[in-house]
Amino acid sequence: MSARDNHQAEDLRRLRELLAEISDLNAATALMHWDQQTYMPEGGIELRSQQLATLSRLAHERLVSPELAELLERLEGSYDPSSEEGALVRVARRDHERAARLPSRLVAQMARAASEAEPVWVRARAASDWGAFAPHLERLLELKREAAEHLGYEEHPYDALLDLYEPGARKSRLEGLFEELKAGILPLLRSIAPGGRAEERSAPLVGDFDERAQEEFGRAVLTDLGYDWSRGRQDRVVHAFCIDLGGPQDVRITTRFDPRRVDTALFTSMHEAGHAMYEQGVSPSYARSPLAGGVSMGVHESQSRLWENLVGRSRAFWEHYYPLLQKAFPGSPLERTDLEGFYRAINEVKPSPIRIDADELTYNLHVLLRFELEVAMIEGRLAVPEIPEAWDAKMEEYLSVRPEKAAEGALQDIHWADGLFGYFPSYSVGNVLSAQLFAAAVRARPEIPDEIGRGNFGPLRGWLSENVYRHGRRYEPDELIERATGAPLSAAPYLGYLREKFGALYGCR
Amino acid sequence: MSARDNHQAEDLRRLRELLAEISDLNAATALMHWDQQTYMPEGGIELRSQQLATLSRLAHERLVSPELAELLERLEGSYDPSSEEGALVRVARRDHERAARLPSRLVAQMARAASEAEPVWVRARAASDWGAFAPHLERLLELKREAAEHLGYEEHPYDALLDLYEPGARKSRLEGLFEELKAGILPLLRSIAPGGRAEERSAPLVGDFDERAQEEFGRAVLTDLGYDWSRGRQDRVVHAFCIDLGGPQDVRITTRFDPRRVDTALFTSMHEAGHAMYEQGVSPSYARSPLAGGVSMGVHESQSRLWENLVGRSRAFWEHYYPLLQKAFPGSPLERTDLEGFYRAINEVKPSPIRIDADELTYNLHVLLRFELEVAMIEGRLAVPEIPEAWDAKMEEYLSVRPEKAAEGALQDIHWADGLFGYFPSYSVGNVLSAQLFAAAVRARPEIPDEIGRGNFGPLRGWLSENVYRHGRRYEPDELIERATGAPLSAAPYLGYLREKFGALYGCR
């Protein structure tokens, strides 16, 4: 071994050590967040937020440290880019640069602005008072525009923000994707719900559904899907989430229960289990390194959507599970509902002003609206006071519904109050990609749909593990998608899926 | 303000900042430990132990850092020793020196030796095989003797180890204390249990006791005692503990349930709540500083024992609670047992070879035995292969019982396998101090016993908060005891309490 090789091996060892330290600090932060949402006593909030600030700062200091910068500098180009070592250096460099480009003064300003904005947003939403929230949004936008300049971009400042969630994404490409979605979805929606109204189908989902029975049924389903309870757990929270605690060995999910609805906890659980199976499926050797975790928000969301919608809202799935569900809730409205009625109920198309209540067909129109407004806001074409009106107009245009008040319109989401701009498009990337990956899986293993109908998810999970999960962040998102599906991100499989499914459900194919 | 004052204020600010950072890292470690014992999935163990190692290392690096050393050096003598600032500098200096005196090589060796010894001890205990454990104990003793030399002592190497748990304690003083305990307890025990056998009284405690009812009753009692649920919570574990997560704002307890016994969970909970009320009672301004938490293991244990024994096993307490307990378990043996029978049952004296099964009267004899053996081990007067025989001989001498096998003798406790030497005496210091503090509280507020009989613990808790809890680590243990009780640590109140209580219970006053 040459002296140069020796130095290189030592640099790589030290890089791994430093990255593991950052991962461990982030895992402590993640555990503190998890605990805060699940079990922490209320009196601990202030103390916890100070502890979180310290731990985040220590992780950030390491990520932007000159030592890490120099190691990455020296190791740059030392490894075949297609090797694991090459990927580690590339991903670490990306994380380092994203963090190092933002002045710590700006990071602190953004954190403070968001923490000041959030409680104001809560009150403003309760009172439907856009004016109260507006100055905070103004400030956050200003800081985000500044951040975009520091982060850098080739085409458009919005690209710099997108890139935080979707590495390599461009506004220009997303515009094309959304145009395709709009052109495919709007005619379908109009034939199903002319004037924004469709037949009511979801009545059988409402009734008294014992929470313990819901929990038991959900756990059985998640076990069948392949969520590994020996490396995870499920707890109750107000807003469901999935969180990894440093590697695929501990990936936890949460859910919420509505005793009046049979579908809330179940689909929430399948959604979070989709995220979790992705993280659990990452190569165990990537634990405590930046290669662990999902490669982008969009790919992550593709997995929650795939398991929630393409599996969980499919007829094949319920051919197996519906008799079991009926048995789990004796005396409920399900007793008087046949499989077809239930399948129609969980796939009801119902334009609503509220994104989180949206069905599969209308969901992307909510995202499109936010994407268009965000771009206009970042460009300065849309002034903050005019947002509610612009929002309502687009809502009417796309969904033929009009929010009755700002709480149901531009104030409905927490994202902007948290300073998240460029985040919404990932939801649509996830939807689109869920169908593209599912189609590729079925091409490779044609038995998948039949096996789902038997409650056997092994072939689907196996294909996803092999082609997506195990790689973690090893490949760029675009490369991962190409490798897995043989094509770049494309709306065609998703639109085909929507047309076939909802065409059949509403007789308008 | 002079330039010197300015520097001093800046040094103090930086000291507080650094200490808060250490506290936050320790709190993250504490949360990881809590999670590991309560909710962590089994698959996360290996990952968690690596994360714990990193976080502990980062805290330790800060504690021994030259920056902290220099700040303490400069601030030494700057503040009135009786002021809070003076106390902060003194306590931080103590923690710093304890940590800095041990070479990190030795710290790592001790950690490795303990982590290797523990699983061996588990197997050795299961097989009652002292020989398997002996080489590990040998190694741990050797490292501990070395540690004592590094830590330093005036009289005896054992003092250096004691000081880790009981700041300022000396073997020579403890010998006097234990002589007094032995002289007071042995004659009492022999008149109650001649030849190691006493009348069986605990039968009414055994039966079917619904766990949910146990939990509910226990929670109600803890609420009455004054455990603050808004700054804590209770979870189930195999081995109960109390843990603070960085300050009095989040102090959690755990317990275990035995559905066949009515007393296990309740007294375990009261014991842990005693620890927790101490930590919750610390001045909130001490959060995130080394002034938070208990001043010594002995004072900490005095609070668990006080609430478990002096309150929880008193007749006054059960005058109020026994009718409620009977109502909570309809159809149980309690229905056929009167208050006096129950009071006799929970105070049964029954010499046993097992420390954790010991009653109030015999408990200190178990500690005495360990103290004597530990001193002999550290001095090298007792060779490791001879420990079981020495153990059994002392057990016979003090308790008139003989362990049937090493699992019930020298292998019963995990402490030595964890490298804990000098720790056991704190249990007896706690017992002794619990009675001394209780007596002082009753002198100051004579209504306390009657109020306990009414289920009102406010006066007792109020006195303890005022005289012990709120001070955290502000005073040295000896000073705290003197301030609170007007006298140094003394066995007299404890022996008086035992004589009166057990004399009356067994008619041998």
Side-chain angles (χ1 to χ4, degrees):
Chain A
M1 206 184 231
S2 71
R4 194 177 145 276
D5 286 349
N6 252 328
H7 282 139
Q8 190 175 310
E10 171 54 23
D11 280 348
L12 184 64
R13 190 201 59 71
R14 177 60 189 148
L15 176 69
R16 286 190 196 279
E17 194 174 79
L18 207 48
L19 294 173
E21 200 170 284
I22 293 170
S23 166
D24 293 343
L25 285 163
N26 288 336
T29 302
L31 182 63
M32 285 185 172
H33 277 296
W34 174 84
D35 179 68
Q36 187 166 338
Q37 302 301 319
T38 51
Y39 296 114
M40 192 183 80
E42 48 179 329
I45 285 186
E46 174 67 22
L47 178 63
R48 178 58 52 86
S49 77
Q50 293 170 315
Q51 293 165 342
L52 278 167
T54 297
L55 275 281
S56 311
R57 178 172 54 73
L58 294 180
H60 186 260
E61 279 172 11
R62 276 159 184 73
L63 188 56
V64 301
S65 67
E67 184 187 5
L68 184 63
E70 285 156 24
L71 282 167
L72 290 169
E73 187 73 35
R74 286 204 299 273
L75 287 166
E76 177 83 356
S78 300
Y79 299 98
D80 178 347
S82 71
S83 68
E84 288 200 6
E85 292 81 2
L88 184 72
V89 172
R90 175 179 54 76
V91 169
R93 183 168 200 111
R94 176 186 151 82
D95 292 350
H96 165 74
E97 284 182 358
R98 284 292 160 292
R101 284 181 188 171
L102 293 179
S104 47
R105 181 256 323 151
L106 182 58
V107 173
Q109 284 173 319
M110 290 194 295
R112 196 167 53 245
S115 80
E116 285 167 7
E118 205 187 296
V120 174
W121 166 78
V122 170
R123 288 194 300 272
R125 187 171 71 157
S128 271
D129 179 1
W130 180 258
F133 179 55
H136 290 272
L137 182 55
E138 200 88 70
R139 170 81 177 138
L140 283 160
L141 268 173
E142 191 184 297
L143 293 169
K144 278 289 160 174
R145 281 196 209 100
E146 192 189 338
E149 296 306 319
H150 286 288
L151 290 166
Y153 51 85
E154 285 176 30
E155 293 176 9
H156 194 278
Y158 193 70
D159 294 349
L161 305 179
L162 274 177
D163 186 79
L164 297 172
Y165 315 106
E166 297 299 317
R170 293 281 167 93
K171 165 188 156 286
S172 56
R173 276 177 62 196
L174 281 179
E175 280 168 343
L177 185 75
F178 276 114
E179 273 314 306
E180 270 190 89
L181 289 175
K182 193 155 76 168
I185 291 168
L186 280 185
L188 191 56
L189 177 62
R190 274 160 199 163
S191 70
I192 289 172
R197 302 201 155 270
E199 185 193 338
E200 290 275 353
R201 294 177 167 189
S202 62
L205 308 179
V206 182
D208 283 325
F209 295 94
D210 178 65
E211 276 195 38
R212 202 168 281 225
Q214 284 198 42
E215 191 179 350
E216 207 174 302
F217 187 85
R219 283 183 180 268
V221 168
L222 264 45
T223 304
D224 291 349
L225 295 185
Y227 177 68
D228 182 351
W229 297 98
S230 79
R231 295 183 291 135
R233 53 177 292 115
Q234 185 180 39
D235 298 273
R236 288 165 185 246
V237 290
V238 180
H239 300 290
F241 62 91
C242 162
I243 195 162
D244 92 272
L245 297 176
Q249 294 87 354
D250 192 350
V251 185
R252 306 183 186 184
I253 56 176
T254 56
T255 195
R256 64 196 170 95
F257 289 89
D258 181 346
R260 293 289 303 157
R261 289 196 69 112
V262 72
D263 54 341
T264 305
L266 181 63
F267 288 120
T268 302
S269 296
M270 291 181 77
H271 180 100
E272 300 307 334
H275 283 301
M277 288 192 289
Y278 183 7
E279 302 252 1
Q280 286 187 335
V282 169
S283 168
S285 65
Y286 293 173
R288 303 178 73 225
S289 96
L291 292 182
V295 71
S296 73
M297 277 292 308
V299 176
H300 232 306
E301 198 69 10
S302 80
Q303 292 316 297
S304 54
R305 300 296 169 138
L306 187 149
W307 290 99
E308 177 192 356
N309 290 334
L310 281 93
V311 174
R313 295 186 206 268
S314 72
R315 187 184 275 108
F317 180 87
W318 289 106
E319 273 164 12
H320 180 78
Y321 285 101
Y322 192 56
L324 303 171
L325 188 73
Q326 286 179 305
K327 229 163 83 184
F329 299 101
S332 81
L334 301 181
E335 255 184 7
R336 305 177 300 276
T337 310
D338 66 5
L339 171 61
E340 196 55 32
F342 179 75
Y343 176 62
R344 287 154 61 99
I346 59 172
N347 286 297
E348 183 189 51
V349 173
K350 189 179 183 186
S352 150
I354 307 294
R355 175 182 59 86
I356 61 165
D357 293 342
D359 53 79
E360 270 188 272
L361 192 60
T362 54
Y363 196 98
N364 296 293
L365 301 173
H366 290 269
V367 179
L368 166 61
L369 174 158
R370 286 156 177 78
F371 168 66
E372 292 177 337
L373 294 184
E374 283 188 353
V375 171
M377 286 152 70
I378 292 292
E379 286 181 356
R381 278 188 290 114
L382 177 62
V384 167
E386 290 156 19
I387 291 173
E389 210 180 294
W391 182 291
D392 293 357
K394 280 194 191 289
M395 193 56 81
E396 185 119 38
E397 181 188 346
Y398 299 152
L399 286 157
S400 309
V401 293
R402 210 176 167 89
E404 299 206 346
K405 45 188 184 175
E408 293 173 0
L411 279 172
Q412 71 182 264
D413 296 311
I414 195 174
H415 299 59
W416 292 344
D418 275 351
L420 298 178
F421 300 90
Y423 184 102
F424 283 116
S426 294
Y427 292 130
S428 284
V429 171
N431 284 332
V432 164
L433 191 53
S434 69
Q436 187 173 344
L437 285 167
F438 190 83
V442 173
R443 270 201 309 279
R445 304 202 186 166
E447 74 278 18
I448 284 174
D450 285 349
E451 291 299 326
I452 290 176
R454 292 187 190 97
N456 175 17
F457 307 94
L460 175 58
R461 206 179 57 253
W463 187 90
L464 289 166
S465 297
E466 181 63 23
N467 292 281
V468 181
Y469 299 173
R470 71 186 173 95
H471 298 306
R473 297 176 68 196
R474 174 152 180 197
Y475 302 110
E476 294 282 355
D478 284 348
E479 189 183 355
L480 182 82
I481 295 168
E482 284 255 9
R483 291 174 68 106
T485 71
L489 182 70
S490 154
Y494 183 61
L495 288 171
Y497 158 75
L498 289 179
R499 268 188 217 107
E500 189 171 338
K501 178 172 180 176
F502 291 94
L505 271 162
Y506 284 87
C508 53
R509 202 191 299 225
Chain B
M1 207 186 230
S2 71
R4 194 176 146 276
D5 284 350
N6 253 329
H7 282 141
Q8 189 175 310
E10 171 54 23
D11 280 348
L12 183 66
R13 190 202 59 75
R14 177 59 188 148
L15 176 70
R16 286 190 196 278
E17 192 174 80
L18 207 49
L19 294 173
E21 200 171 284
I22 294 171
S23 166
D24 292 344
L25 285 162
N26 288 337
T29 302
L31 182 63
M32 285 186 172
H33 277 296
W34 174 84
D35 180 67
Q36 187 164 340
Q37 303 299 320
T38 51
Y39 297 114
M40 191 184 79
E42 49 179 328
I45 285 184
E46 174 68 21
L47 178 63
R48 178 58 54 86
S49 76
Q50 294 170 315
Q51 293 165 342
L52 277 167
T54 298
L55 275 282
S56 311
R57 180 172 52 73
L58 294 179
H60 185 260
E61 280 173 10
R62 277 158 183 73
L63 188 56
V64 302
S65 67
E67 186 188 3
L68 184 64
E70 285 156 24
L71 283 168
L72 290 169
E73 186 73 36
R74 286 205 298 273
L75 287 167
E76 177 83 356
S78 300
Y79 299 98
D80 178 347
S82 71
S83 69
E84 287 200 7
E85 293 80 3
L88 184 73
V89 173
R90 174 179 55 76
V91 168
R93 181 168 202 111
R94 175 186 151 82
D95 291 351
H96 165 73
E97 284 182 358
R98 285 291 160 291
R101 284 181 188 171
L102 293 179
S104 48
R105 182 256 321 152
L106 182 58
V107 173
Q109 284 174 319
M110 290 194 295
R112 196 166 53 245
S115 81
E116 285 168 7
E118 203 186 298
V120 174
W121 167 77
V122 170
R123 289 194 298 273
R125 187 172 71 156
S128 271
D129 179 2
W130 180 259
F133 179 55
H136 290 272
L137 182 55
E138 200 87 70
R139 170 79 177 140
L140 283 160
L141 268 171
E142 195 183 294
L143 293 168
K144 278 290 160 174
R145 282 195 208 100
E146 193 189 336
E149 297 306 319
H150 285 289
L151 291 166
Y153 51 86
E154 286 177 28
E155 294 177 8
H156 194 278
Y158 193 70
D159 294 349
L161 306 179
L162 274 178
D163 186 79
L164 297 172
Y165 315 107
E166 297 299 317
R170 293 281 168 94
K171 164 187 156 287
S172 56
R173 275 178 61 197
L174 281 178
E175 279 168 344
L177 186 75
F178 276 115
E179 274 313 307
E180 269 191 88
L181 289 175
K182 192 155 80 169
I185 292 169
L186 280 185
L188 191 56
L189 176 62
R190 275 165 197 156
S191 70
I192 289 172
R197 302 201 156 271
E199 186 194 339
E200 290 275 355
R201 293 178 166 186
S202 62
L205 308 179
V206 182
D208 283 326
F209 295 93
D210 179 63
E211 277 195 37
R212 203 169 282 224
Q214 284 198 42
E215 192 179 349
E216 208 173 302
F217 187 84
R219 282 183 180 268
V221 168
L222 265 47
T223 304
D224 291 349
L225 296 186
Y227 177 67
D228 181 350
W229 297 98
S230 79
R231 295 183 292 136
R233 50 178 292 115
Q234 184 179 41
D235 298 274
R236 290 164 183 245
V237 291
V238 180
H239 300 289
F241 61 91
C242 162
I243 195 163
D244 91 274
L245 298 176
Q249 296 85 353
D250 192 350
V251 184
R252 305 183 187 184
I253 56 176
T254 57
T255 195
R256 63 196 172 94
F257 289 89
D258 181 345
R260 293 289 302 156
R261 291 196 67 113
V262 71
D263 54 342
T264 306
L266 181 63
F267 288 119
T268 302
S269 296
M270 290 181 77
H271 180 99
E272 299 307 333
H275 283 302
M277 289 192 288
Y278 182 8
E279 302 252 1
Q280 285 188 334
V282 170
S283 168
S285 64
Y286 293 174
R288 302 178 73 226
S289 97
L291 292 183
V295 70
S296 73
M297 279 291 309
V299 176
H300 231 306
E301 197 69 11
S302 79
Q303 292 315 297
S304 55
R305 299 297 167 136
L306 187 150
W307 291 99
E308 177 192 356
N309 290 335
L310 280 92
V311 173
R313 294 184 206 269
S314 72
R315 187 185 274 107
F317 180 87
W318 289 105
E319 273 163 13
H320 180 77
Y321 284 101
Y322 192 55
L324 302 171
L325 188 73
Q326 285 179 305
K327 227 162 86 181
F329 298 102
S332 81
L334 301 182
E335 257 185 4
R336 304 179 300 276
T337 308
D338 65 7
L339 172 61
E340 195 55 32
F342 179 75
Y343 175 62
R344 287 154 61 97
I346 59 171
N347 286 297
E348 183 188 52
V349 172
K350 189 179 181 185
S352 150
I354 307 294
R355 176 182 58 86
I356 60 164
D357 293 342
D359 53 78
E360 271 188 272
L361 192 61
T362 55
Y363 196 99
N364 296 293
L365 301 172
H366 290 269
V367 179
L368 165 61
L369 174 158
R370 286 155 177 78
F371 167 66
E372 291 178 338
L373 294 183
E374 282 188 354
V375 171
M377 285 152 70
I378 291 293
E379 285 181 356
R381 278 188 291 113
L382 177 62
V384 167
E386 291 155 21
I387 290 172
E389 211 180 294
W391 182 291
D392 294 356
K394 278 193 192 289
M395 192 56 80
E396 185 119 37
E397 182 189 345
Y398 299 151
L399 285 157
S400 309
V401 294
R402 210 174 167 88
E404 298 207 346
K405 45 190 183 173
E408 294 174 0
L411 279 172
Q412 71 182 265
D413 294 312
I414 196 174
H415 300 58
W416 293 344
D418 276 350
L420 298 178
F421 300 90
Y423 183 102
F424 283 116
S426 294
Y427 292 129
S428 284
V429 171
N431 285 331
V432 165
L433 190 54
S434 68
Q436 187 172 344
L437 286 167
F438 191 82
V442 174
R443 268 200 311 278
R445 304 203 186 164
E447 73 277 20
I448 284 176
D450 285 349
E451 290 300 326
I452 290 177
R454 293 186 189 98
N456 175 16
F457 308 96
L460 175 58
R461 209 181 54 253
W463 187 89
L464 289 166
S465 297
E466 180 63 23
N467 291 280
V468 181
Y469 299 174
R470 70 186 175 95
H471 299 306
R473 297 175 68 196
R474 173 150 181 201
Y475 302 109
E476 293 283 353
D478 285 347
E479 188 183 355
L480 182 81
I481 295 168
E482 283 255 8
R483 290 174 68 104
T485 71
L489 182 69
S490 154
Y494 183 61
L495 288 172
Y497 158 75
L498 289 180
R499 267 188 218 108
E500 187 172 339
K501 177 172 180 176
F502 291 95
L505 270 161
Y506 283 87
C508 52
R509 203 192 298 221

